[in-house]
Amino acid sequence: MFVDRADAGRRLAVRLLHLASEKPVVLGLPEGGVPVAFEVARELDAPLDLAGASAEGEGTTGHGGRGVALAGRTVIVVSDGLASGSTARAACAAARASGAARVVMAAPLRAREAVVPEADEVVCLIEPEGPRAVGEWYEDFGQVTEADVSAMLGRAASAPRARDVELTAPQGAGGMVVFAHGGGSSRHSPRNRRVAAALHEARLGTLLFDLTRPEEDVFDVPLLARRLSETVRWVRERTQGARIGYYGASTGAAAALWSAAELGDDIAAVVSRGGRPDLAGPRLAGVTAPTLLIVGERDEPVLTLNRSAQERLRCPNKLETVRGATHLFAEPGTLNTVAELARAWFVRHLNR
């Protein structure tokens, strides 16, 4: 028996780990196959999409609207269970027609009569004997709605890929700081790396990842905040028990504050460096995490915006101005001051 589709997906993923090196694409059969596929995609660090064909062979529009390219890729089509196999055969054929180099059909269970010749490989955990419905093998086989599917596809798209992040957790680290860079920057930002190094010296963990993608609007703060919130869930699964803080710069700081307001006690501290907290205006009053705003003394427009935003914060907060610094803290010694201020704030609020 499987507890539910998520349990089945995690167990199925173990049998598919040999495919991780092929950087596959995972397609879930609508609707019930998507929760299983979500877990498979997460374990294999693979993109997730909706399988694009019905049992009658009718294609759907752009694979559920996500449009993950299949040409030349290994494609894993996932179901919550194969009864007749007709829908699975149509989905595998559609993946092949879209240019997939290799098609793998995967399901927690399948009836012996369910044959999928359109797949190069079929992976299943059990093959029950006798005419039992798929749902009988699950303790919880509740209905999966279109809204559920949309939410899971959104979460999968927002979650960071392991190959695109840098997670550093010093031994004994009790706190983890998630970095949110501004527009035009990335996880390779030398300014953020300098601060991260200072946090490592204090035995705090860090996560640097690419918050924005080249084609995205860096001022879409709600989008960036949702991505940050999903990243916190991703971090929590890998760093059990750690208190989590945000270090944000420019528009990334606005996203950090927006997300902190939504996550509440899940975020223990926030530091904004040269940030635009004003862009989180509707959410500022909802932030509960102690917040430190760091601004260059000579960055007058941003300093004015930070002072105004500080008045709307209801959480414990502090505004620090760094003497002689402009927006990018390029002046000698100013970035070291930022690192020291951030480290002290996180040590105070993240360490148990």
Side-chain angles (χ1 to χ4, degrees):
M1 293 287 293
F2 303 106
V3 176
D4 53 21
R5 291 180 176 90
D7 171 54
R10 288 189 289 269
R11 291 162 65 178
L12 181 62
V14 175
R15 289 283 300 276
L16 296 167
L17 286 175
H18 65 286
L19 299 173
S21 61
E22 299 181 25
K23 297 182 179 179
V25 173
V26 177
L27 303 180
L29 287 176
E31 305 313 309
V34 176
V36 183
F38 179 86
E39 300 296 334
V40 171
R42 182 159 58 175
E43 290 299 321
L44 271 60
D45 192 32
L48 174 67
D49 206 342
L50 194 63
S54 67
E56 293 75 27
E58 298 175 353
T60 60
T61 303
H63 290 290
R66 300 288 163 174
V68 177
L70 306 184
R73 305 286 294 272
T74 293
V75 174
I76 305 174
V77 179
V78 179
S79 169
D80 55 3
L82 300 179
S84 67
S86 59
T87 303
R89 289 193 293 272
C92 289
R96 184 82 70 192
S98 295
R102 183 182 180 198
V103 178
V104 177
M105 183 64 227
L109 68 149
R110 71 165 176 171
R112 293 179 182 267
E113 61 270 20
V115 180
V116 188
E118 292 80 2
D120 299 300
E121 180 182 358
V122 177
V123 176
C124 64
L125 301 180
I126 56 175
E127 292 186 0
E129 294 184 1
R132 294 181 62 181
V134 169
E136 295 184 38
W137 292 91
Y138 290 84
E139 294 178 16
D140 179 0
F141 198 66
Q143 181 182 5
V144 180
T145 67
E146 290 185 8
D148 295 330
V149 169
S150 179
M152 277 181 274
L153 291 176
R155 286 185 61 192
S158 297
R161 302 285 175 225
R163 56 183 172 270
D164 295 330
V165 306
E166 296 182 28
L167 177 65
T168 304
Q171 186 173 5
M176 178 67 60
V177 178
V178 177
F179 281 66
H181 60 74
S185 188
S186 72
R187 68 185 186 278
H188 302 297
S189 163
R191 288 179 291 277
N192 282 355
R193 285 179 173 275
R194 171 66 188 87
V195 175
L199 299 181
H200 297 161
E201 293 171 1
R203 300 182 71 178
L204 290 168
T206 61
L207 176 77
L208 291 94
F209 76 111
D210 293 340
L211 176 62
T212 57
R213 294 161 187 166
E215 70 280 5
E216 291 176 336
D217 178 5
V218 298
F219 288 94
D220 189 347
V221 175
L223 168 65
L224 304 184
R226 288 195 299 272
R227 188 164 293 155
L228 270 177
S229 297
E230 182 57 35
T231 300
V232 167
R233 298 185 184 97
W234 188 91
V235 170
R236 284 209 177 281
E237 292 170 357
R238 290 156 175 80
T239 56
Q240 296 295 328
R243 291 166 64 82
I244 295 178
Y246 280 145
Y247 177 90
S250 190
T251 53
L257 288 165
W258 190 297
S259 173
E262 294 182 340
L263 295 181
D265 293 340
D266 279 349
I267 302 300
V270 177
V271 172
S272 164
R273 186 263 297 166
R276 290 291 308 276
D278 56 297
L279 296 177
R283 296 292 189 273
L284 287 175
V287 177
T288 59
T291 298
L292 174 64
L293 307 174
I294 305 174
V295 187
E297 179 187 43
R298 295 163 54 193
D299 190 7
E300 295 180 3
V302 173
L303 182 55
T304 299
L305 292 171
N306 273 255
R307 285 172 174 159
S308 176
Q310 186 184 22
E311 295 177 355
R312 286 177 279 174
L313 289 171
R314 299 292 178 264
C315 58
N317 64 83
K318 188 176 183 180
L319 173 62
E320 291 276 10
T321 58
V322 178
R323 182 175 299 178
T326 54
H327 185 61
L328 295 180
F329 298 89
E331 297 73 21
T334 58
L335 190 58
N336 288 340
T337 301
V338 171
E340 292 166 3
L341 290 169
R343 177 171 58 190
W345 192 262
F346 285 128
V347 166
R348 176 183 175 187
H349 295 289
L350 297 189
N351 282 348
R352 296 186 182 279

